[in-house]
Amino acid sequence: MVQVTWAASGAIVPWSPDVAYAPAVQLLLAALALLAAAACLATTRTLAGRGRVTSAAALILTIPVFVMGMASLPAHVVTLASFSGVDSVTGLAHDVVSAVGAALLILVALSYRRRLRGRCPRCGQDHPGGFDRTLAHPGPSLAPKRTRVAVHLLMCGLLPWAGVKTIWTLGGDAIGVTADGWREMNAGESGLAKALASVGIDVTVLAAMAAIFLLLGLLHPWGQVFPRWTLFLSGRRVPRLLPLLPAWLSSVGLSVYGAFLLILAPLSATGVLPKLEPSGAFTTSSGITWMVAFGGLAFAGLGFALIVAARSYSARTRPRCAGAERRVPATASRAGRTAHT
């Protein structure tokens, strides 16, 4: 309905700073939203073989569309966090709606997949009895050492990007950008962003630090039970989706964008693709190429770190239906009886 209204009214809905959705694309997105709604309703019923395939295909088709529709959401979050205003109200609304839709579709697809495999759609286990029992949540736990090492190594990709930006913010020159040029390019920033810059903190680096905070919460027990410094929330269980949804939804865009930059930078530097032309505060082609590479390391490292950490957190915090033991496969049961005889 929202997409149809925007298309009929001629509202400009940007997908990126330079690209806006055409009315025909908005109508196509509206049709896909209806298809997704129909698929979600179909998953609640017992379907034959063709119906199952059709519902699964509809979910597989629409989930990536909604995920791509929220590609600019991290940029909107940074803008709002720095009190710099909203670049586009319709763009922000589109990204939020797409993020909510993607999250709901992923949850429906997960539940449907479990049901097709004969497992409990709530906890994912193969246990006897109904699916209306109380969910039992495991206690807080630390991520395995291998996961922690992998996440910390991926986070190191932020260092060159954050280091260069900090040098500029502190008044230094680096990779073809002067302090004066950097200040001139950011002259239109909000008062908060300028106040942070005066003490050497770039607002985008601050946003990356917030993502690191999320990563640490996914790895450590305090991400499962609110710690003491959260005051009235202290000791309460952290809802699983509170860290998982932002982690999963932001990791896709960050990892894809970072991988694209990591491919673009060396191809441009070696002449396979046209050289990157200086723009903004950059005065040399090599300088902007290096910054593209640093951005690729930062965004890809952060995106893949979120994927690794969120996967571990999801497995460690997955609830189980209380009082329902996991069903022992018939083959294993027969093997056990044979061993005792």
Side-chain angles (χ1 to χ4, degrees):
M1 185 65 183
V2 176
Q3 295 285 2
V4 174
T5 302
W6 282 338
S9 63
I12 298 176
V13 183
W15 179 75
S16 69
D18 302 320
V19 179
Y21 289 99
V25 175
Q26 293 174 339
L27 293 176
L28 176 60
L29 292 175
L32 289 176
L34 291 176
L35 176 63
C40 290
L41 290 175
T43 60
T44 62
R45 302 181 180 182
T46 302
L47 302 173
R50 183 173 296 179
R52 291 182 179 182
V53 173
T54 302
S55 299
L59 291 173
I60 293 172
L61 171 65
T62 53
I63 287 176
V65 174
F66 278 87
V67 171
M68 290 300 295
M70 47 158 284
S72 298
L73 188 58
H76 284 297
V77 172
V78 173
T79 303
L80 290 172
S82 62
F83 297 96
S84 300
V86 179
D87 294 332
S88 171
V89 175
T90 54
L92 174 60
H94 182 274
D95 283 9
V96 171
V97 170
S98 297
V100 173
L104 293 176
L105 285 177
I106 290 172
L107 292 176
V108 170
L110 179 61
S111 176
Y112 186 51
R113 180 171 176 266
R114 290 171 176 175
R115 189 180 292 110
L116 290 180
R117 294 190 172 189
R119 298 181 180 273
C120 173
R122 300 181 70 205
C123 71
Q125 295 298 307
D126 183 12
H127 62 68
F131 302 141
D132 56 350
R133 307 187 185 193
T134 303
L135 288 176
H137 295 269
S141 60
L142 182 67
K145 183 178 180 180
R146 180 178 299 179
T147 299
R148 300 199 308 272
V149 170
V151 170
H152 283 86
L153 288 176
L154 288 168
M155 283 195 295
C156 289
L158 286 164
L159 293 177
W161 172 82
V164 169
K165 284 208 162 188
T166 302
I167 291 173
W168 293 335
T169 307
L170 290 173
D173 302 342
I175 59 173
V177 175
T178 63
D180 292 337
W182 179 253
R183 282 193 295 268
E184 183 179 350
M185 189 179 72
N186 294 278
E189 295 288 343
S190 66
L192 177 61
K194 292 179 179 178
L196 291 172
S198 65
V199 293
I201 300 176
D202 182 81
V203 67
T204 56
V205 175
L206 186 63
M209 292 173 64
I212 291 175
F213 177 80
L214 173 60
L215 278 169
L216 295 177
L218 292 170
L219 296 177
H220 295 275
W222 59 263
Q224 300 165 47
V225 176
F226 286 106
R228 293 179 180 178
W229 50 265
T230 55
L231 303 179
F232 61 91
L233 291 176
S234 176
R236 298 187 181 185
R237 182 179 60 83
V238 176
R240 288 183 78 227
L241 294 182
L242 182 62
L244 279 179
L245 279 181
W248 283 123
L249 294 177
S250 61
S251 64
V252 176
L254 287 171
S255 55
V256 171
Y257 182 56
F260 169 75
L261 294 181
L262 284 175
I263 294 173
L264 174 63
L267 292 181
S268 175
T270 55
V272 176
L273 292 177
K275 287 188 176 294
L276 297 173
E277 296 297 329
S279 61
F282 288 92
T283 58
T284 63
S285 176
S286 61
I288 195 171
T289 302
W290 274 112
M291 196 57 189
V292 167
F294 291 163
L297 285 173
F299 299 138
L302 191 56
F304 285 111
L306 284 169
I307 291 174
V308 174
R311 182 179 179 185
S312 173
Y313 184 92
S314 178
R316 294 182 352 257
T317 60
R318 183 175 295 118
R320 302 287 188 268
C321 287
E325 297 181 356
R326 187 173 181 177
R327 184 181 299 162
V328 179
T331 54
S333 177
R334 288 195 298 269
R337 289 197 297 269
T338 303
H340 282 87
T341 55

